[in-house]
């Protein structure tokens, strides 16, 4: 493990895939991007939201080869010290993911086991309507995107968290090009994270 200043990094191999994991500390909210190399824009969003909101962030980036998607629960089982440290220190995790569901190209699915927190985050996303539609009803979220499994890292911190599944148009300004999230999406997510942080400080 290496570290410079506040940010620490670790190289870890998960199911034969080599990753660099980067952790930057912050307040009790933790932003997680497990699939930054596969789900374009999610790592960039974690970085930007952490800077804007003062949250911690943990980002997994694949070092080489064709991007490989390893499920969140299998990522959690990896021998990664920074992931363990991140989960031990975060009160609530907001895990950022990307989806490519053809039937829901504008749906932002808000899963995770903390349903109150998911609805709170959704409040910050209302400004994106009608361009994007926040969805909090688990019955309307595809089963693979719900993020409610207890071994999913989003639910393994101080309490359960929120899994945010973003369609391609909500995480890249040029589909197939630069992984720069649209400004209004970053603004709305930052609003949601601030709402969540305010709630955790009151608790």
């Amino acid at each position: 493990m290496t570290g410079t200043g506040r940010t620490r990094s670790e190289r870890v191999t998960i199911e034969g895939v080599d990753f660099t994991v980067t952790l930057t500390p912050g307040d009790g909210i933790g932003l997680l991007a497990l699939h930054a190399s596969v789900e374009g824009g999610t790592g960039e969003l974690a970085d930007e939201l952490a800077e804007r909101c003062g949250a911690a962030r943990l980002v997994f980036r694949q070092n080489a080869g064709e991007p490989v998607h390893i499920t969140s629960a299998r990522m959690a089982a990896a021998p990664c010290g920074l992931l363990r440290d991140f989960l031990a220190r975060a009160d609530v995790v907001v895990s950022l993911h990307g989806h490519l569901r053809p039937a829901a190209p504008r749906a932002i699915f808000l899963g995770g086991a903390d349903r109150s927190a998911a609805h709170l985050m959704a409040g910050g996303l209302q400004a994106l309507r009608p361009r994007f539609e926040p969805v909090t009803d688990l019955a309307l979220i595809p089963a693979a995107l719900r993020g409610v499994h207890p071994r999913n890292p989003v639910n393994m911190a101080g309490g359960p968290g929120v899994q945010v599944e973003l369609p391609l148009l909500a995480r890249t300004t040029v589909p197939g090009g630069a992984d720069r999230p649209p400004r209004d999406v970053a603004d709305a997510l930052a609003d949601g994270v601030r709402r969540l942080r305010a709630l955790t400080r009151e608790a």
Side-chain angles (χ1 to χ4, degrees):
M1 188 183 299
T2 61
T4 57
R6 285 166 50 87
T7 297
R8 291 181 289 155
S9 64
E10 176 184 7
R11 289 190 68 164
V12 60
T13 300
I14 305 173
E15 299 184 7
V17 182
D18 188 36
F19 294 88
T20 293
V21 186
T22 304
L23 171 64
T24 302
D27 69 12
I29 302 296
L31 294 159
L32 178 62
L34 289 170
H35 304 127
S37 301
V38 184
E39 298 165 351
T42 56
E44 290 75 10
L45 268 173
D47 290 340
E48 180 171 350
L49 294 176
E51 293 291 339
R52 292 172 61 171
C53 302
R57 68 181 175 270
L58 185 72
V59 179
F60 284 71
R61 289 188 169 93
Q62 192 173 322
N63 290 322
E66 190 71 20
V68 176
H69 185 278
I70 300 171
T71 66
S72 298
R74 282 158 39 208
M75 298 282 279
C80 179
L82 288 184
L83 177 59
R84 290 194 298 271
D85 190 28
F86 173 81
L87 293 173
R89 294 172 183 271
D91 296 324
V92 178
V93 171
V94 176
S95 191
L96 300 167
H97 295 262
H99 74 83
L100 293 171
R101 298 287 164 145
R106 300 189 179 277
I108 298 177
F109 297 118
L110 293 145
D114 190 332
R115 303 314 302 146
S116 295
H119 282 88
L120 194 67
M121 283 285 297
L125 303 181
Q126 297 304 313
L128 297 175
R129 285 178 161 154
R131 196 156 71 91
F132 297 107
E133 182 69 21
V135 179
T136 57
D137 186 343
L138 285 178
L140 300 179
I141 300 176
L145 307 182
R146 290 175 186 166
V148 294
H149 194 285
R151 298 307 301 168
N152 185 322
V154 72
N155 300 314
M156 294 173 63
V162 183
Q163 181 157 306
V164 182
E165 293 275 357
L166 297 150
L168 186 63
L169 292 172
R171 50 192 168 88
T172 56
T173 50
V174 182
D179 291 337
R180 247 189 335 271
R183 174 57 50 191
D184 60 341
V185 174
D187 290 344
L189 285 169
D191 184 21
V193 170
R194 291 188 188 105
R195 291 175 186 226
L196 191 55
R197 182 174 60 184
L199 181 66
T200 58
R201 287 179 174 174
E202 291 173 2

